[in-house]
Each structure stands twice: as C-alpha cells, then as structure tokens.
Amino acid sequence: MPTPSPALIRVRLDLAYDGTEYNGWATQPGLPTVQGVLEEALAMIIRRRVRTVVAGRTDAGVHARGQVVHFDLTEAEWAAVTRHRESLEPAPTLVRRLNGALSREGGAVVILRASLAPEGFDARFSALWRSYRYAIIDSSAERDPLNRRFTYWHQQELDVGLMDAEARSVLGLHDFLTFCKPRDGATTIRELQDFGFTRDHQTGLITAHLRADAFCHNMVRALVAAAVQVGEGRHPVGWVAGRLEAMVRDAQTRLAPPHALVLDHVEYPDAGSDPTALAARAEGTRARRTRP
C-alpha cells in the first residue's frame, strides 16, 4: 500500500510592507515581489518551497498594514521551527526567524503575527471584507516632503464634499466592470460596503476609505481616480454612478497612482463563536456571483 501523506496544519501570518520597491504582491520571474521575498524567507526556515495564499493581491507600489496569508506545513515542520528547543513556542519563533530572514529587505516587509489557523480558514476566501485607505494632498494643503512616497500630490484644489457624494453614490452590490481590469474566468461583481472622502482641516490631508467584500484588479485606484475627476471639476455630479451603470472600460477609466494606497485590514468570521463560520464563508465566496 502507498505511504499516506503526512497530515498538514495551516498557519496564518499577519504582515505589513512598504510596497515601493516591489512589483506587487504576486511572484513574477526576475522581478522583486512581496510574495517572492516572503516565500524565500520561508524556504530558508522550512527547508523547502512553501506556497502562500494571500487575502488580497496588491499592485506594484501599493502598501499594506494588515495583509494576511496562509500556508500549510506538516506537524513535524511546524515543531522544527523551534530548532528542537522544547522551551520555545513555534508561532513567536517563526515571527522572529522570518523577520531575521527578511532583514535583508531593510525593514520593508515585517511579520506581525503567526498562529495556527482555525479549522476551515482560508486567507483569501474566508475573508468577510477588506479595507483600504488612499492619501491625497491637493494644492490648497501643506505638502510634507517626508510623506511624498505615500501621498498623491494633486496639482488642483479638490472639492472633498463632491468627491464624498460621488463615492457614496456607488455603494452596494454592483458589477464594477467599468472600474476593474477583468481576469479570465473571474467576476467583477462586488459589494462596496463603504467608500468616502474626508479632509483633515489641520493638515489638509484628504483620505479616501474603502471597504468591500473583495476588490477586483485596479478597482480601488479606478474608483478613487473617478471621484477625483469630479472633485477637480472635470466631470459633473453623478458622473461616477453613470460610469458604473454604463459598464464600459475605456480611456475614461483612469487609475490613481499606486504609491498612496494602503491595504489596512482584512476581517474574518469569529471562529470562536461558530466553528463552521470560516469554512462556510470560504464555500460561499467561491460560488461565482451573478449580476444583481
């Protein structure tokens, strides 16, 4: 009889990164990516290639404060993280060793936490929602050169009230084809749960905040860019909602620069109150949605 495969356990990692020098999250041959450097660090510790699954793939130049990944190890590999020192726990030891391996990145990628994932956990499909922030300074605000790598410097003064109204006009479950770069076999239907703009009256900083059950490729940057075009007076009130309804991706679909975008948080069901919630959420998310 064939030898049975060893039982696998799932590990969750929470991490943050400055995406400036990376060509996005996903591994690409010959290019520096966040997934690439993370999996290299894991391979140094586990002694084999470890495939990671991420909650939300970020574009080139985009940052994260609350990214989540999972990967599977054998029980022996998990125990060996401590280098057979029984006084140590694998989870904090893995954080320390990974951050040591990632020190070559100059602090751009930091592991925040590691833990054994609850039953049914999937970093991508179990997520209830993801939230992003986008930072803008317009011509009426004071520009801080120390924040220029993480803030979009817009040359015209923006009407934040108009931008906020445009943002809220597209909340809900819609087909966001206009604002997405479609992937083969993937749907562009999403539930946009929160989208708005605020201005800090002391610093002048404009912040866009977005939350959705999931975001398709380019969706955040395209939505922000559309609202900015109304805020600068390029298009009339109601233009963003009209574009959404038109469901056409053309030259008017622009992208805000990536360097001002941050993945803030990924939320999951509480497995403590319902042990089946994570698996049920993953199963429901995998079901292809249709136009409402």
Side-chain angles (χ1 to χ4, degrees), residues 196-207:
F197 290 82
T198 58
R199 186 193 290 274
D200 184 314
H201 293 290
Q202 289 188 325
T203 64
L205 180 70
I206 301 168
T207 302

Side-chain angles (χ1 to χ4, degrees), residues 4-8 74-75:
S5 300
L8 297 177
T74 67
E75 293 181 356

Side-chain angles (χ1 to χ4, degrees), residues 110-125:
V110 174
I111 307 303
L112 304 174
R113 288 172 296 279
S115 61
L116 288 179
E119 184 71 25
F121 178 81
D122 185 293
R124 177 184 177 190
F125 290 111

Side-chain angles (χ1 to χ4, degrees), residues 190-258:
R190 298 291 189 269
E191 183 186 7
L192 188 59
Q193 300 165 351
D194 184 33
F195 182 24
F197 290 82
T198 58
R199 186 193 290 274
D200 184 314
H201 293 290
Q202 289 188 325
T203 64
L205 180 70
I206 301 168
T207 302
H209 45 91
L210 304 92
R211 189 181 80 193
D213 56 349
F215 290 93
C216 45
H217 192 203
N218 290 159
M219 179 175 167
V220 176
R221 292 166 58 201
L223 284 170
V224 170
V228 165
Q229 290 180 70
V230 176
E232 68 187 7
R234 186 184 299 269
H235 295 292
V237 172
W239 184 74
V240 177
R243 291 283 295 162
L244 175 69
E245 186 63 27
M247 289 182 58
V248 55
R249 186 178 175 89
D250 53 26
Q252 293 189 82
T253 300
R254 301 182 179 182
L255 300 180

